[in-house]
Amino acid sequence: MIRMKVFKELYNYRELLKTNIKKEIRGKYKGSWLGILWTFLNPLLMLAVYSFVFPYILRVKVENYTIFMIVALIPWNFFTTAIQMGTGSVVANGNILKKVYFPREIIPISITTSQLVNFLITCIIMFAFIIFSGVGFSIHLLIFPLLVLIQYIITLAFTFVLSALTVFVRDIDHFVSVILMLGFYATPIVYQANMLPQKFQWVLNLNPMAQLVEAYRSILYYHQMPNWISVGIWGSISIILLIASYLIFKRLEKSFVEEL
């Protein structure tokens, strides 16, 4: 019953949801000269820096290092941007929440979905690098949509919880920035997972993005099947996280207007 009510409400407000997603996509670069081109330029600039620093200065020895890194960096950017924007999203829309009724979950869903669209656009760059580098694709590319779905669900789950909690504890927004910065180094983006000492491997096992990054790298860089046990576990956990986070969000939303 609760599940049907959720989908019914979202369906009834589908036009608002579409409008919000479009607004988030267009609004991010509103007023800038290059506009949507920054969706491509940001990852390219980051890629240029990392591709110079790690192979040439830190002497990381990995074949086709640019491809090795970009297949991890692009998904990571999707995750972090969505979390950063989503954490303060309810607070940022406080004035609207006080005046108009609509399903409050539309706010975090709009943020996460708009960043998913940006991610898929940015994948054009990633795929272009893969093609022109000679690495190419394999049949394993068919698994890509499944990994994107799992990442979207996990990201949305975090966004639900963080956006709701930030209404009551505004410092969470600042903590999230620090945690994401640490998370970058706790995720094998610029280094191989086996470079981390064995005693710290548990960090990667508990890090959903570490597992997803390894899966992306398996199908796009190594051209092999990902670790299906890991994918299956995190696929199941993602659904549990989404349900739990949504229930927390709905429980806390009753006090949103009062706190805002």
Side-chain angles (χ1 to χ4, degrees):
M1 286 294 290
I2 295 176
R3 182 175 61 182
M4 292 305 295
K5 185 180 178 182
V6 171
F7 288 118
K8 185 177 179 180
E9 272 212 308
L10 289 177
Y11 180 79
N12 290 339
Y13 286 86
R14 63 189 180 281
E15 291 304 321
L16 176 61
L17 181 58
K18 290 178 186 176
T19 301
N20 270 21
I21 292 172
K22 291 177 182 177
K23 183 188 75 174
E24 292 296 338
I25 293 172
R26 294 170 182 166
K28 185 177 180 182
Y29 302 113
K30 186 178 180 180
S32 67
W33 288 357
L34 297 177
I36 195 70
L37 286 176
W38 280 111
T39 301
F40 297 98
L41 290 175
N42 276 330
L44 283 174
L45 292 171
M46 291 177 67
L47 183 65
V49 172
Y50 292 139
S51 293
F52 174 75
V53 171
F54 286 92
Y56 297 106
I57 297 180
L58 299 182
R59 305 293 182 183
V60 175
K61 301 295 182 183
V62 176
E63 187 179 357
N64 286 317
Y65 184 77
T66 299
I67 306 303
F68 172 86
M69 186 179 60
I70 197 173
V71 299
L73 183 64
I74 298 297
W76 173 258
N77 282 349
F78 162 38
F79 177 73
T80 55
T81 306
I83 295 298
Q84 287 174 327
M85 293 180 64
T87 298
S89 59
V90 174
V91 173
N93 286 275
N95 290 333
I96 299 174
L97 294 180
K98 294 175 184 177
K99 298 174 183 177
V100 183
Y101 172 77
F102 59 90
R104 300 338 193 184
E105 56 267 32
I106 280 181
I107 296 174
I109 291 175
S110 298
I111 296 288
T112 309
T113 306
S114 68
Q115 292 312 306
L116 171 64
V117 174
N118 282 333
F119 165 65
L120 295 176
I121 293 172
T122 312
C123 281
I124 296 171
I125 296 175
M126 181 170 70
F127 291 157
F129 269 91
I130 292 172
I131 292 170
F132 292 112
S133 68
V135 172
F137 296 111
S138 68
I139 190 67
H140 303 97
L141 181 64
L142 295 174
I143 304 170
F144 184 75
L146 173 61
L147 301 182
V148 173
L149 177 62
I150 294 173
Q151 182 176 348
Y152 174 79
I153 293 173
I154 289 174
T155 305
L156 181 57
F158 279 116
T159 306
F160 269 137
V161 171
L162 293 171
S163 63
L165 292 177
T166 303
V167 174
F168 304 92
V169 185
R170 304 299 169 88
D171 290 341
I172 287 177
D173 208 353
H174 302 290
F175 280 121
V176 165
S177 297
V178 175
I179 291 171
L180 288 176
M181 182 177 64
L182 295 174
F184 177 83
Y185 295 100
T187 304
I189 297 169
V190 295
Y191 61 88
Q192 293 175 308
N194 58 16
M195 291 175 65
L196 200 66
Q198 189 61 41
K199 62 181 178 180
F200 295 122
Q201 285 293 321
W202 61 270
V203 175
L204 302 185
N205 294 330
L206 294 177
N207 180 353
M209 280 308 299
Q211 301 302 310
L212 284 169
V213 158
E214 284 295 283
Y216 281 120
R217 193 168 274 149
S218 292
I219 65 173
L220 297 173
Y221 178 78
Y222 293 113
H223 294 171
Q224 62 188 28
M225 285 291 185
N227 184 330
W228 281 113
I229 294 177
S230 175
V231 172
I233 289 173
W234 281 107
S236 301
I237 290 175
S238 69
I239 296 172
I240 295 171
L241 284 174
L242 183 61
I243 294 171
S245 64
Y246 178 76
L247 292 175
I248 292 171
F249 184 91
K250 295 302 287 184
R251 186 173 184 84
L252 294 177
E253 76 167 0
K254 299 171 185 176
S255 303
F256 281 175
V257 174
E258 180 183 338
E259 292 293 326
L260 292 169

